[in-house]
Amino acid sequence: MIHETHPEPARTPAGSTAPSTPSTPTTPFGAPSAAVGRRIAIVEAAMRVFTDNAFHEASFELVAEAAGLPVKTVRDEFTHWHGLVLATVDLWVGRRTRPLMPLAQTHGTIALLRAIVAANAAEPALMRLLSAVVNVAATPGHPAAPLLHDQWQQFYRLVHASLARDVELGREPDTMQPSCGAEQLIALYEGLQLQSMVRRDMDVVASFDRAVTRLRAGWGSVYVPPAWDLELV
C-alpha cells in the first residue's frame, strides 16, 4: 500500500560533454521519495482523524485538513476512500506490532499478545478502527473485504505458527493443538478488547491475564470432546 522507494541515479544525456562524476543526490540514501513521503503524511493524518473522530464521521475533508493539504491532493493520492482506510490500517498495525514481535521469540505467544493488549489499552484508537472495519470485511462483494480478510488471516497464521513453536520449545503443553489454541487465544484477545471499549471501568490487561491463565490450565489437560444431551439443551 505504501512502499519505500529510492530515486533513480542521475544520468548524463547521450553526447553530453558533462563530467562523468556523479552529482550529489538531493534525497538522502534510504529516504522515501517526495511522492511516498506525501502518501505517508496523508496516512498519518488519517490516523489522527480516526483517533479524534468516529469511523463513520471521518472523511477526505477531515484528512486533508489534518494533513494541511488541499482535498484534491488527498483524493489524487487515494482515489477511493476504502483505499485510504486500508493504507491507514496497514501502516498503523505495522507500527503498533512490529516493535513487539521479538517477544514471540524470546518469551512466547502469550507475552506478545499481552504486550499488544497493553499497547492498545494505552492508545485505543487503532482497536476502534479495526473493530469498525470488521463490518466492511464482512460485507459480501465490498472491494476492501479481500485485503481486510488477508489482514486477519495473517494474524491468525502468526499466532498459530508462534504457538506451534511454543509447543516445540516446551513453553506450552503438547496437549494443546496450535490451530485450536490460536482460535481460542485470538477470541480472548479480540473479545476482551471489544468489551473494554464499551466498559470503561474494565482493566483489560488484568482481564486478559486472568482469562489466559484459565485458558492455559485447560491446555494442560487432555481434551475430552463434549457429549451433549440434546434433550437437556
Side-chain angles (χ1 to χ4, degrees), residues 5 7 36 47 57 72 77 89 91 98 106 142 170 186 214 220:
T5 59
V36 172
M47 292 165 60
E57 295 174 344
K72 184 181 184 303
E77 291 291 343
V89 169
L91 183 65
R98 193 176 299 112
T106 59
H142 194 286
I186 292 172
R214 292 287 193 178

Side-chain angles (χ1 to χ4, degrees), residues 149-170:
H149 286 165
D150 188 59
Q151 286 269 358
W152 265 279
Q153 289 290 341
Q154 286 184 37
F155 185 57
Y156 170 79
R157 289 192 293 267
L158 167 68
V159 175
H160 182 187
S162 186
L163 282 177
R165 184 168 55 249
D166 288 342
V167 171
E168 293 176 0
L169 296 175

Side-chain angles (χ1 to χ4, degrees), residues 12 21 26 39 80 127 151 202 205:
T12 302
T21 304
T26 58
R39 288 176 67 86
H80 301 287
M127 198 63 201
Q151 286 269 358
M202 177 179 174
V205 178

Side-chain angles (χ1 to χ4, degrees), residues 206-225:
S207 296
F208 179 83
D209 288 345
R210 178 177 176 81
V212 165
T213 298
R214 292 287 193 178
L215 179 63
R216 295 182 76 201
W219 285 351
S221 303
V222 175
Y223 176 68
V224 179

Side-chain angles (χ1 to χ4, degrees), residues 183-213:
E183 289 179 352
Q184 296 158 5
L185 187 55
I186 292 172
L188 283 180
Y189 162 78
E190 292 185 338
L192 290 173
Q193 290 187 117
L194 182 62
Q195 285 191 59
S196 70
M197 286 189 285
V198 294
R199 293 179 54 209
R200 300 301 174 85
D201 59 337
M202 177 179 174
D203 185 338
V204 67
V205 178
S207 296
F208 179 83
D209 288 345
R210 178 177 176 81
V212 165
T213 298

